[in-house]
Every structure is written in structure tokens, then in C-alpha cells.
């Protein structure tokens, strides 16, 4: 397979993934996009191995490795920041745990109506109001886009550092 | 051959610099960057990056280059 054919297929796959993402939201079915992403990743790897006219030498491998390592480092900082901010956000409101009081059997101060009901675990629908979940979805989207931009940025940086855009002096 | 003006430096981590004379040898053998790249199984950009001193090749590639030009690694690459 020629590399141009491979790039065209990758572009079509990206568009298809976007459509499936939209469909997944419309149908409220996360399994569609989850399975699609995994299948796309497998298909990408299979197709990449069939490309015959891409020369991958030690410099391009070095650029790939440096870019991946730098992206992971930056993404960890980004995710940690967002995670901590999210934790603070959630902790600043009611956590959804039902308040309970425990009365010892020998306690003489019994309430008139008997013991209160005790619930040790939060009931899921009451833990986080549904209206606040949209914020987390937006945050996830921002993190995905930010990770993509970080990857592209580092790719340009290392490609430039190791001379991809040097002028040909032949 | 020992024209220092055509020797290109590449920075390394310890402050020393790697220089090479690939461009000189390429001119002596009347080779284009593309032709040399194909002979060595690398991309033309890699040859360009090495010549401009932006990339230090691996030991294996350095030996392949010197073997192709039928000389020693020390003759083509200088560590200063």
C-alpha cells in the first residue's frame, strides 16, 4: 500500500470516528464510540504495517520517541491539575453521603420515633446532580484537544530540532 | 579533506561537539543526498540533518557511512 493511500484512509477513519462520536451522543450509547476507537486503533496498526514506501529510520524513530515521552509528561501534569481541581470542586459541595447517626444499643437517649435509618453508601442518583455532569464532559473534551495540541506542538519542536525543515544545500 | 570550513558541528549533551565531513565525501563521490540516503537505507532528511550538525547518527549508521565511503569512522566524524 502506498503511503498516500494510507493517509487518505486515516483521514476517512478520523471523519468516521467523529460521526460515530456524534451518533454515540445522539443515541446516548457510550459503547459505540468506545468500540469504534479500539477498532480504529487496531485497523490503524494493521494498515501501517502494510505501507511499503514509508522509510522510517533512526532519526524519525527518535523524533517519535521524544515526542511521545514529552507528550506523556505534559499530559500527566495536565491531567493531575484537572483531577485536583475537579476533586476540590466536588468536595466544595455536598458529597451526597446521607447523614447518619449511630446509636449504641445501651444508649438511654433514644429518640421518640426510634432509631434513624442508617445508610452507609450514597445512592447514586443523589450523589451528583445530573446538571453538573456536563461540566465534566466539557473538561474531558478540553483535555483530549489539549493533549492533541501538545502532541502536535512537541512533534513540530523535535522535528525542527533534529533538522526536518533544514534547507537542502545540494 | 581536512578543510575545517566544511566540517559541520553538532551539539552533544556534554558540551563537546561532533563534526563530520559527509558533505565533503559526498562531493568527492559525486553523490546527492537522496542517493546516499537510499544507499544507507535512511531518509534524505536524515543525511541533511547529519550534514548540518542537527543530528548525531547512531554508532551503527556512522559505521555504515564510513564503510560506504571506504574509510574509517574517525576520518569522517570528529569528536571535539
Amino acid at each position: 500500500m502506498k503511503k498516500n493511500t494510507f493517509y487518505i484512509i486515516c483521514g476517512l477513519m478520523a471523519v468516521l470516528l467523529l460521526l460515530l462520536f456524534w451518533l454515540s451522543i445522539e443515541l446516548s450509547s457510550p459503547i459505540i464510540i468506545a468500540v469504534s476507537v479500539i477498532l480504529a486503533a487496531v485497523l490503524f496498526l494493521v494498515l501501517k504495517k502494510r505501507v511499503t514506501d514509508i522509510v522510517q529510520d533512526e532519526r524519525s524513530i527518535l523524533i517519535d520517541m521524544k515526542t511521545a515521552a514529552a507528550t506523556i509528561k505534559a499530559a500527566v501534569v495536565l491531567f493531575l491539575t484537572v483531577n485536583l481541581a475537579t476533586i476540590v470542586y466536588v468536595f466544595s459541595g455536598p458529597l451526597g453521603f446521607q447523614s447518619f447517626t449511630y446509636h449504641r444499643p445501651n444508649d438511654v437517649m433514644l429518640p421518640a420515633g426510634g432509631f434513624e435509618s442508617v445508610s452507609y453508601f450514597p445512592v447514586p442518583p443523589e450523589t451528583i446532580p445530573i446538571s453538573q455532569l456536563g461540566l465534566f464532559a466539557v473538561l474531558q473534551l478540553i483535555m483530549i484537544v489539549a493533549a492533541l495540541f501538545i502532541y502536535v506542538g512537541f512533534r513540530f519542536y523535535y522535528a525542527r530540532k533534529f533538522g526536518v525543515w533544514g534547507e537542502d544545500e545540494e | 579533506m581536512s578543510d575545517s570550513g566544511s566540517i559541520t558541528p553538532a551539539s552533544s549533551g556534554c558540551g563537546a561537539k561532533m563534526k563530520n565531513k559527509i558533505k565533503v565525501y559526498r562531493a568527492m563521490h559525486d553523490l546527492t543526498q537522496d542517493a546516499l540516503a537510499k544507499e544507507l537505507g535512511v531518509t534524505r532528511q536524515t543525511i541533511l540533518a547529519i550534514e548540518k550538525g542537527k543530528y548525531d547518527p547512531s554508532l551503527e549508521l556512522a559505521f555504515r557511512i564510513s564503510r560506504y565511503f571506504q574509510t574509517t569512522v574517525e576520518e569522517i566524524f570528529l569528536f571535539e
Side-chain angles (χ1 to χ4, degrees):
Chain A
M1 181 194 295
K2 298 280 184 189
K3 65 180 176 186
N4 287 342
T5 311
F6 172 69
Y7 292 144
I8 289 169
I9 292 173
C10 285
L12 290 174
M13 275 168 53
V15 172
L16 189 63
L17 272 180
L18 275 176
L19 288 173
L20 287 168
F21 182 56
W22 173 78
L23 184 70
S24 197
I25 294 170
E26 285 292 317
L27 298 178
S28 302
S29 174
I31 194 76
I32 295 174
I33 189 63
V35 172
S36 303
V37 167
I38 292 168
L39 287 178
V42 172
L43 189 61
F44 176 82
L45 290 174
V46 170
L47 289 176
K48 195 178 176 187
K49 291 199 172 194
R50 290 173 183 269
V51 180
T52 51
D53 57 345
I54 287 183
V55 179
Q56 198 174 30
D57 60 3
E58 58 181 46
R59 191 184 55 86
S60 60
I61 291 170
L62 180 73
I63 292 172
D64 284 348
M65 285 169 56
K66 292 261 187 189
T67 305
T71 304
I72 287 171
K73 284 177 190 171
V76 164
V77 174
L78 176 72
F79 291 158
L80 188 67
T81 308
V82 174
N83 283 347
L84 289 174
T86 307
I87 289 167
V88 170
Y89 175 77
V90 173
F91 276 5
S92 61
L95 294 178
F97 295 103
Q98 291 181 355
S99 60
F100 65 91
T101 53
Y102 177 72
H103 296 280
R104 289 174 297 181
N106 297 330
D107 200 336
V108 292
M109 296 173 66
L110 290 174
F115 294 114
E116 289 182 29
S117 62
V118 177
S119 174
Y120 294 98
F121 302 102
V123 181
E126 294 177 359
T127 52
I128 300 173
I130 296 297
S131 62
Q132 291 180 19
L133 286 175
L135 176 68
F136 295 107
V138 172
L139 267 176
Q140 297 284 331
L141 269 177
I142 289 171
M143 282 198 292
I144 290 171
V145 173
L148 282 173
F149 273 98
I150 288 169
Y151 176 82
V152 172
F154 277 122
R155 182 93 195 174
F156 273 103
Y157 172 74
Y158 283 113
R160 189 178 171 81
K161 184 178 178 182
F162 295 117
V164 162
W165 289 296
E167 289 180 12
D168 192 352
E169 294 177 355
E170 281 190 57
Chain B
M1 197 69 62
S2 60
D3 179 18
S4 61
S6 60
I7 297 175
T8 51
S11 61
S12 67
C14 58
K17 289 189 173 181
M18 184 88 86
K19 297 178 179 178
N20 71 76
K21 293 187 271 188
I22 292 178
K23 194 171 181 178
V24 176
Y25 272 86
R26 201 164 51 77
M28 285 166 58
H29 287 75
D30 195 23
L31 273 173
T32 62
Q33 288 176 340
D34 197 38
L36 179 61
K38 280 179 181 160
E39 289 291 338
L40 297 169
V42 297
T43 58
R44 188 185 62 79
Q45 285 88 353
T46 297
I47 299 297
L48 175 63
I50 295 171
E51 282 186 3
K52 289 177 80 74
K54 287 197 165 187
Y55 173 67
D56 290 337
S58 67
L59 202 54
E60 185 194 335
L61 182 56
F63 271 104
R64 287 217 313 262
I65 292 168
S66 61
R67 190 166 292 176
Y68 180 79
F69 289 125
Q70 294 179 329
T71 185
T72 58
V73 173
E74 294 91 341
E75 175 59 30
I76 294 181
F77 297 96
L78 300 118
F79 189 67
E80 293 181 349

